[in-house]
Each structure stands twice: as structure tokens, then as C-alpha cells.
Amino acid sequence: MPEPTVVVLATDYFRSYSVVGLIAMIGVLFVAVAFAAGRLLRPVAPTPEKLLTYECGVDPVGEGWAHTQVRYYVYAFLYVIFAVDSIFLFPWATVFAADGYGATTLVEMFIFLGFLAVGLLYAWKKGVLTWT
């Protein structure tokens, strides 16, 4: 026969998971209610114009295959890299104000910014940033 402390520990263990499960079910229910309300409340008036494929305001004419310039993706990728890297500057700014970490943090920040500058310089030298 199991000891009472083992039963109590098991009960507490599953109780904590039941709270997580309850919150997950409430979240799923919330999303289901939102989708159902949207389906019930939206107007339904299909017209031939609404059923056409929409491509950035341009009527779909011709074949479905089109050449896409890679430079758009390169600019987007560079933006994401620098946006994510700029997030790392905020913790450094917080630590920089703390006693005893100022000089070390400043040197680390400039090393990090140096790596970013070298990457940007490399992209510029390769001609990635020219828009022609």
C-alpha cells in the first residue's frame, strides 16, 4: 500500500498540470468562439470580382510563373539581422549603468558593433546593397 506522502505528492504534481490543461482548454475555446462568431457575423455576398485571385492590386494575367528578384529577399534578410541584433543592445545598456561593469560592457558592445559593421561592409563590397 503506498504511503500517504507519496499520494499527496502525486496529487500535487497532477494538480499543477491540470491548471495548465485548463488554461490550454480555455485558450482553445476562446479561439473557437472567435472563429465561430466571425463566421456568423460576417456578410456573405460572393461576386465574380470577389472570387478572382488577388495579386497586389494587379489583375492576374498570363502564366503563374514569374521571376522574382533575389535582392528583395536580401534586403529583408539584412533588415531582420540588424533588427534582431539591435535587440542585444538593450541589455548591454542596462548592464552598462551597473557598478563595475561599465568598461567591460562598453568594450563588448564595440566588438559586437564591429562584427556588424564588418558584415555590412562585406555586403556593400559584394554589391548586394546596390539597387539596379
Side-chain angles (χ1 to χ4, degrees), residues 12-49:
D12 289 341
Y13 178 77
F14 288 118
R15 186 177 298 139
S16 62
Y17 276 111
S18 65
V19 171
V20 173
L22 180 67
I23 290 173
M25 286 192 311
I26 289 172
V28 169
L29 182 67
F30 181 75
V31 171
V33 167
F35 275 116
R39 183 171 278 250
L40 291 174
L41 297 175
R42 71 177 179 219
V44 179
T47 62
E49 290 84 15

Side-chain angles (χ1 to χ4, degrees), residues 56-103:
C56 300
V58 180
D59 291 330
V61 178
E63 297 180 16
W65 295 98
H67 296 286
T68 305
Q69 296 290 334
V70 174
R71 71 177 67 109
Y72 300 121
Y73 298 110
V74 170
Y75 275 97
F77 188 62
L78 285 173
Y79 170 76
V80 168
I81 287 172
F82 284 102
V84 169
D85 288 341
S86 67
I87 297 296
F88 292 118
L89 297 177
F90 291 109
W92 275 325
T94 306
V95 172
F96 184 69
D99 292 334
Y101 291 106

